[in-house]
Amino acid sequence: MHRFYVDNLSELNKSVIIDGEDVNHIKNVLRLSIGDSITVSDGSSRDYECVIASISDVVTADIVDIHDCNAELPVKLRLFQGVPKADKFELIIQKSVELGASEIIPVMMERTVVKLDDKKQDKKLERYRKIAEAAAKQSRRGIIPEVASFISFKNAVKSLLNGDDKTKRLILVPYESAEGMDYARKIISSAVNYDEIDIFIGPEGGFADSEIELAKECGASIISLGNRILRTETAGLAILSILGFTLDR
């Protein structure tokens, strides 16, 4: 069933109004009609099953059922991705959303090759967020995962230390020089005990030694993903897949 996102929905509502670009998509791309069923999400894991009642400059749909979205994981997964070259980050965003990430944060690291000024960053973010929304619709997510603003590795790690003390947080850093699959399996099996899991992935050149040391100082678990060296666009998706399978209800 086709999915759309509408802010400020309430269980007290009897109908929803869809406006903006989605109206054209409903009318001219999907060619939906009055009486067709759609799913509307409030962006916070609640789904409203609706039937289209009218189509004009806006689309009005009557609510027939409300339930929790079962596409969301019980633990929040945040991907801190070292910014890669070319359009690799677009693929990473799309697949990370499909795999259950709740937020993707582009991180400028010591070995990041890409250099972007503020104007280029803003333009990139606009496109990245559209990709995240499209992927959320396709994978029937209950939220639209956020693509945060660009941040340095140092500030990203500091932001975790300054976060909510009540949040049970696990910090994972897959690293090609890490040893011990038994340790990695033990850490991943404990994922269900946390509220949030923050995953740091290095850029093409990998992590600098100083970044790994800083991560350790902040309590990160440095883990192996196996005996094969994974590309930056593969590593994050690999750990998200493992965690998603471990955590899914």
Side-chain angles (χ1 to χ4, degrees):
M1 192 179 297
H2 300 292
R3 174 177 293 269
F4 303 92
Y5 295 89
V6 174
D7 295 331
N8 301 317
L9 280 178
S10 167
E11 293 186 11
L12 299 176
N13 295 135
K14 293 183 178 180
S15 63
V16 300
I17 295 176
I18 301 171
D19 56 16
E21 295 179 357
D22 283 337
V23 176
N24 178 65
H25 192 65
I26 289 170
K27 291 166 62 175
N28 301 318
V29 179
L30 300 176
R31 297 187 181 279
L32 297 179
S33 305
I34 293 172
D36 286 340
S37 298
I38 59 173
T39 300
V40 178
S41 175
D42 63 3
S44 61
S45 296
R46 294 287 281 170
D47 282 354
Y48 295 69
E49 305 302 336
C50 303
V51 174
I52 295 176
S54 66
I55 301 176
S56 57
D57 293 337
V58 298
V59 174
T60 303
D62 295 330
I63 299 171
V64 297
D65 187 35
I66 304 172
H67 57 83
D68 290 329
C69 176
N70 63 7
E72 296 307 312
L73 296 169
V75 177
K76 184 177 183 180
L77 304 182
R78 303 171 75 213
L79 177 65
F80 290 79
Q81 172 69 50
V83 178
K85 296 183 291 185
D87 57 357
K88 293 177 183 178
F89 200 55
E90 296 184 5
L91 173 69
I92 292 169
I93 291 169
Q94 183 188 68
K95 301 309 175 187
S96 296
V97 170
E98 291 179 25
L99 290 169
S102 57
E103 185 176 1
I104 301 111
I105 302 96
V107 184
M108 305 302 286
M109 300 185 181
E110 186 173 325
R111 294 177 179 169
T112 298
V113 175
V114 178
K115 304 299 178 185
L116 300 171
D117 57 30
D118 290 345
K119 186 176 181 180
K120 287 183 179 179
Q121 287 186 8
D122 290 343
K123 189 174 181 180
K124 289 280 188 182
L125 284 174
E126 183 180 355
R127 174 161 175 75
Y128 292 161
R129 286 163 180 162
K130 288 182 178 179
I131 291 170
E133 181 175 357
K137 289 179 179 178
Q138 182 276 324
S139 55
R140 299 185 179 181
R141 293 288 302 272
I143 66 169
I144 300 176
E146 179 183 357
V147 181
S149 299
F150 288 77
I151 190 172
S152 69
F153 180 83
K154 185 176 181 179
N155 286 339
V157 172
K158 281 184 177 180
S159 72
L160 300 182
L161 295 179
N162 296 330
D164 185 357
D165 292 337
K166 295 180 181 179
T167 300
K168 294 179 65 177
R169 178 180 289 111
L170 174 64
I171 305 173
L172 296 179
V173 181
Y175 183 47
E176 65 269 19
S177 296
E179 297 181 0
M181 287 302 294
D182 288 342
Y183 173 71
R185 290 189 182 98
K186 179 181 177 181
I187 293 297
I188 289 170
S189 67
S190 73
V192 294
N193 300 320
Y194 294 90
D195 303 316
E196 178 179 300
I197 300 176
D198 299 304
I199 305 154
F200 281 81
I201 302 296
E204 286 93 346
F207 291 103
D209 291 342
S210 60
E211 291 170 335
I212 292 296
E213 290 307 312
L214 179 59
K216 288 179 179 178
E217 290 172 10
C218 296
S221 298
I222 314 299
I223 62 171
S224 172
L225 293 181
N227 297 322
R228 293 150 301 282
I229 302 298
L230 303 181
R231 293 178 183 270
T232 185
E233 64 269 30
T234 308
L237 304 184
I239 187 63
L240 284 172
S241 297
I242 294 167
L243 288 168
F245 188 81
T246 301
L247 295 168
D248 224 340
R249 294 162 289 188

